[in-house]
Amino acid sequence: GKINWPMVKSMESQHVKIGFVFIKATEGYSLVDKSFTDNWFQAGLLGIPRGAYHFFIAGKSGALQARNFIQHVPKEQGILPPVVDIEQQYGVAPSIFRKQLQVMLDTLQAYYHLRPIIYTYASFYNDYLEGHFDNYPLWVAHYFELKSPRTNRAWLFWQHSEQGHVYGIKRNVDFNVFSGDSADFKKLMQPLSE
């Protein structure tokens, strides 16, 4: 639905404010979220730190999926790194989807000059990705945990709930925390040295 971005920005509940947003941009080869352009513009207009994510379809070309994302997500200074969301195997051998995932990560990094973030569930990471993408920041979804997700590696973002309520958004949203301080957060948005 339509998001009231000024209400999102002004929200404060129990001393918690919205410090960043990730907005769905694309999926697979051609799908584009119909609200992405408006959400991206409105969040940026209000100065909310923002990033975009792509829902990765295992077994499909990483290059073509990266092209879909690049065609729709502006290359701007001060944005969060692109995120590749991989949650399902779709019956594809792990070696095959890991190869295509690497192609997508390489393509996004070359274009945006930011190291992409991998988003996945703790169980999917532990079963299929552990030990393969250790140079990439991890955003891990693991609900009903009290202090941190159960994974054997450091995480950058933790999605700890899918039942969040944010002013200006009618439905529940995912809540996430960042592992670091404000200086660490600012470094995320600095281009990699070439």
Side-chain angles (χ1 to χ4, degrees):
K2 184 80 172 160
I3 294 174
N4 184 325
W5 284 100
M7 285 184 71
V8 172
K9 181 170 174 94
S10 68
M11 179 180 139
E12 183 171 353
S13 178
Q14 298 177 2
H15 307 290
V16 174
K17 291 183 172 186
I18 300 300
F20 57 89
V21 295
F22 283 100
I23 303 167
K24 182 173 183 181
T26 53
E27 181 174 330
Y29 291 165
S30 58
L31 191 144
V32 181
D33 189 286
K34 64 183 179 186
S35 299
F36 174 74
T37 301
D38 184 57
N39 287 333
W40 185 258
F41 176 76
Q42 295 295 331
L45 194 64
L46 292 167
I48 302 171
R50 71 212 196 286
Y53 75 92
H54 173 88
F55 191 87
F56 186 84
I57 306 297
K60 303 288 184 183
S61 164
L64 292 178
Q65 293 189 70
R67 184 172 72 183
N68 185 24
F69 186 89
I70 288 167
Q71 286 176 340
H72 296 96
V73 178
K75 183 161 111 174
E76 301 174 10
Q77 287 189 332
I79 62 172
L80 291 163
V83 175
V84 180
D85 173 348
I86 179 164
E87 303 177 23
Q88 298 176 39
Q89 185 181 0
Y90 296 106
V92 177
S95 61
I96 293 173
F97 72 70
R98 284 194 295 256
K99 180 179 178 184
Q100 292 307 317
L101 176 59
Q102 186 66 64
V103 169
M104 182 165 191
L105 294 168
D106 291 343
T107 305
L108 294 178
Q109 184 167 316
Y111 183 78
Y112 291 98
H113 303 291
L114 297 166
R115 188 173 311 282
I117 297 168
I118 296 174
Y119 167 96
T120 193
Y121 287 95
S123 58
F124 192 92
Y125 175 81
N126 294 335
D127 290 344
Y128 302 112
L129 303 178
E130 188 171 22
H132 294 278
F133 298 95
D134 294 344
N135 291 334
Y136 293 91
L138 178 64
W139 177 6
V140 62
H142 201 183
Y143 310 138
F144 311 113
E145 296 297 314
L146 294 177
K147 295 184 179 179
S148 68
R150 279 185 284 174
T151 182
N152 293 326
R153 66 162 280 196
W155 50 271
L156 188 66
F157 290 96
W158 170 29
Q159 187 173 102
H160 58 88
S161 173
E162 59 185 350
Q163 299 296 317
H165 176 71
V166 174
Y167 302 165
I169 302 177
K170 292 177 183 170
R171 295 186 179 176
N172 287 342
V173 298
D174 300 327
F175 268 4
N176 301 274
V177 294
F178 174 69
S179 175
D181 60 23
S182 59
D184 296 327
F185 191 80
K186 286 179 183 175
K187 284 180 194 170
L188 277 181
M189 298 180 276
Q190 296 174 352
L192 298 168
S193 56
E194 297 183 31

